Amino acid sequence: MIEERLRGLKEYVDEAIEHIDLSSLHPLMEAPIRYMLKTGGKRLRPLICLLSAELVGGDRRRAVKPFLALELIHNGTLIHDDIIDEDLTRRGKPSIHIAYGVKRGILAGDILLSLGLRYASETGDPRVVRWLSETSSKMVQGVALQTHYRRRLTSEETYLEIAYLKSGSLFEASAALGALVGGGVEGEVEQLAAFGRDFGVAYQIRDDVHGILTGEEALNDLVNGDVTLPLIYALKSPWRRGRGSCSWRPMRGAPPWRRRR
């Protein structure tokens, strides 16, 4: 029952993305944009936006422009991430910079970010624009921190901060925007935003663990020099150090993704 409902919502999201108006784009840039949008994906952020709107009693149709903005911004950052990481594939297909070149790839990412803000502005709600503007800034800072700490052993707290900025912040915005356009009260928006933060960080950790189990993603992380939580735990483990006890100490204070906005 749940799977059928989620499948139906995903089809609703895919159809909306299929009908995004790209008529204002020159064919030179329209091609890579369509290519990226057709690579698919889980559409988790739009789904969370839709479900959050419904959860507070709103009409899911009001969440269409916000979730389009979220998905466009998400895909724009993915293009830039692939260029920075020099990843050859995305969702089983050649990355944009491989298919269309680095310069067109960078510009395609910029256009997707711009289109996302356009759809945010079309909601007529300045809170939506502000949320997405702040979230975009957080995501860029997350990439900057990840790049800064490459090939350096970081703390658990630093890893979680990067995971929040890069991943958790967009899930946070997805849930909060759904609640906002759905007519949720302030407390409901805050609670759903908190859920989005935790879900996003957990999703990043899950990806890291899945990468270890499958091998391929873990190898990419090692080649890029990205420190993941499983690697932090492995390097700190008593087995590696030859000790009988673990040297980890709990974090003091609230973790970064739990701090209030």
Side-chain angles (χ1 to χ4, degrees):
M1 185 69 176
I2 294 178
E3 291 182 358
E4 289 181 6
R5 172 155 169 71
L6 290 177
R7 192 179 302 113
L9 287 176
K10 185 177 183 297
E11 291 174 357
Y12 181 75
V13 170
D14 287 337
E15 183 178 357
I17 292 174
E18 179 72 22
H19 289 89
I20 287 177
D21 182 13
L22 301 179
S23 61
S24 63
L25 300 182
H26 189 283
L28 184 69
M29 295 310 303
E30 182 183 354
I33 297 296
R34 288 199 182 279
Y35 177 90
M36 185 63 183
L37 293 177
K38 285 182 178 295
T39 59
K42 300 180 182 69
R43 312 297 193 199
L44 290 176
R45 295 150 194 85
L47 288 174
I48 287 176
C49 185
L50 280 173
L51 292 170
S52 296
E54 292 183 346
L55 187 61
V56 297
D59 186 339
R60 72 178 184 183
R61 289 175 295 183
R62 297 194 61 188
V64 172
K65 290 187 184 297
F67 80 58
L68 287 176
L70 288 161
E71 194 67 3
L72 288 164
I73 290 173
H74 172 56
N75 278 274
T77 60
L78 289 181
I79 293 176
H80 291 162
D81 283 353
D82 287 343
I83 293 172
I84 292 172
D85 295 342
E86 299 181 352
D87 288 336
L88 302 180
T89 61
R90 165 66 61 180
R91 298 165 181 162
K93 297 182 179 180
S95 300
I96 287 286
H97 66 282
I98 299 299
Y100 292 93
V102 173
K103 293 180 180 179
R104 282 176 76 184
I106 293 173
L107 296 173
D110 292 342
I111 288 175
L112 282 166
L113 294 174
S114 300
L115 288 173
L117 290 177
R118 187 190 81 186
Y119 275 97
S121 67
E122 288 179 359
T123 64
D125 190 335
R127 298 174 300 174
V128 174
V129 178
R130 184 167 58 250
W131 260 99
L132 286 172
S133 175
E134 292 178 358
T135 300
S136 298
S137 175
K138 289 178 182 178
M139 294 169 70
V140 172
Q141 292 178 74
V143 174
L145 281 174
Q146 184 181 51
T147 304
H148 175 74
Y149 283 107
R150 274 185 176 154
R151 296 177 177 84
R152 297 166 60 185
L153 180 60
T154 61
S155 67
E156 180 183 358
E157 183 171 16
T158 298
Y159 167 87
L160 291 173
E161 180 181 14
I162 294 171
Y164 164 66
L165 291 171
K166 275 198 66 181
S167 182
S169 62
L170 193 58
F171 282 102
E172 175 186 41
S174 301
L177 294 185
L180 280 174
V181 300
V185 299
E186 182 177 353
E188 292 173 325
V189 175
E190 290 180 355
Q191 289 176 346
L192 283 166
F195 159 76
R197 288 196 298 272
D198 291 344
F199 182 93
V201 173
Y203 183 74
Q204 183 62 58
I205 295 172
R206 178 264 180 199
D207 257 12
D208 292 343
V209 174
H210 184 262
I212 294 293
L213 296 176
T214 59
E216 182 177 351
E217 292 180 18
L219 180 60
N220 288 339
D221 288 335
L222 289 174
V223 170
N224 291 335
D226 293 328
V227 178
T228 63
L229 195 60
L231 179 60
I232 292 174
Y233 287 161
L235 293 176
K236 292 286 187 177
S237 69
W239 175 82
R240 179 181 180 274
R241 291 172 172 266
R243 298 176 180 175
S245 61
C246 180
S247 59
W248 275 106
R249 294 180 180 178
M251 289 188 298
R252 295 181 178 179
W257 72 96
R258 273 295 194 185
R259 295 169 190 160
R260 294 182 62 85
R261 286 170 52 82

